[in-house]
Amino acid sequence: AADGWLATLDDKGDSWELIIHELDDVESKIDVIQPVLDSNSTWDVRGDMLIVANQTTLIAVDLLNPSQAKVTLEVDSPTDVEIITEDCFAVLEDGLLKYWDYEGLERLGPNPESGDRVILFESFNDQIALVFASDPDTVHLGIVDGIGLISIEVNATGDPDEDDILLAKDLNVDIINATITDISLSKTKLAATVDVNATSRLVLLDTITGDSQIISDHKFAAFDPHLDYGILMFSAYTEINPLDAAEEYSDREIYIHDLSTNLTRPLTADALDQWAPMVLEDHYVYRQMDSNGDVSVEVQQKEPTLQSYSSNILKFGVILVISLAFINIMQRQRESKIIHHDSELAS
């Protein structure tokens, strides 16, 4: 999803199709030129630009002109594609990144040293965060058109008491062999889920100072970080072992962490499984599976709008309360004067 657009890869039975919707009207659909897709196809949307690739062909499309390819490239089984800037995108092939502009010209960008592989990458504007196979607990930060990298180790060390609770369940926390499984980058913050064997912890890292904190519960597995607009969204279980939990506690819920207040709250709390959240400028988006196993994409406005009658009722209620309070005060004052007058006559 992106601000203004929502992209979903739909299984049509005998084929797969990337469906593009307008975010404010998810029932809408626009026809977009695309290669023949399958379940392994990958895509990205940012602004009005879409890039989509199957195992051999990549197409970049301006969604304001969806019937025409802006650029078409031959690719070799890409595992990820991402729009880096307005004039650059990256393709992950065989553990290495290739950077391209929309004229089909290759660009310079960071990569691991010879013999190493990229296992994860994420971008924000011209910044790029990479995780290499040789250092699975470390994030390497670079920029487009540069090759230098800054390395920051992600510390997923939790509260010892929480580790003891996991150990009592025969789950050993292994920090030495910790592995980053997902990342999200925004301005000066990076969120990473880290597999520590016993569980998966969500760490929020300041890329300037190197300071970090664990955002998720230290015991319960967290996944799918997405960071933008001052908000960190993620999915997480609410039990140590969801397979042994009661049905209503065996699913993942969606959480929102506000960077300005450093507070975390649940967005969902039900018996449905929810995952893959994204925070957009005006919306929260996530996937959800219902009790029948059907998967949907849920779109929620950040600030729900009250209907006009609700607003009027609210105003009427406030005015009524103020009026009643005023009448009560006047009544008390009147009673006080009467009592005072009677006391004077008695004397």
Side-chain angles (χ1 to χ4, degrees), residues 1-5 23 45-48 228-229 279-283:
D3 291 329
W5 305 102
L23 199 57
V45 181
R46 183 175 298 186
D48 293 322
D228 211 346
Y229 299 101
V279 53
L280 307 180
E281 185 174 7
D282 299 314
H283 299 84

Side-chain angles (χ1 to χ4, degrees), residues 279-291:
V279 53
L280 307 180
E281 185 174 7
D282 299 314
H283 299 84
Y284 298 126
V285 180
Y286 56 90
R287 294 183 185 180
Q288 176 174 281
M289 180 182 292
D290 65 18
S291 57

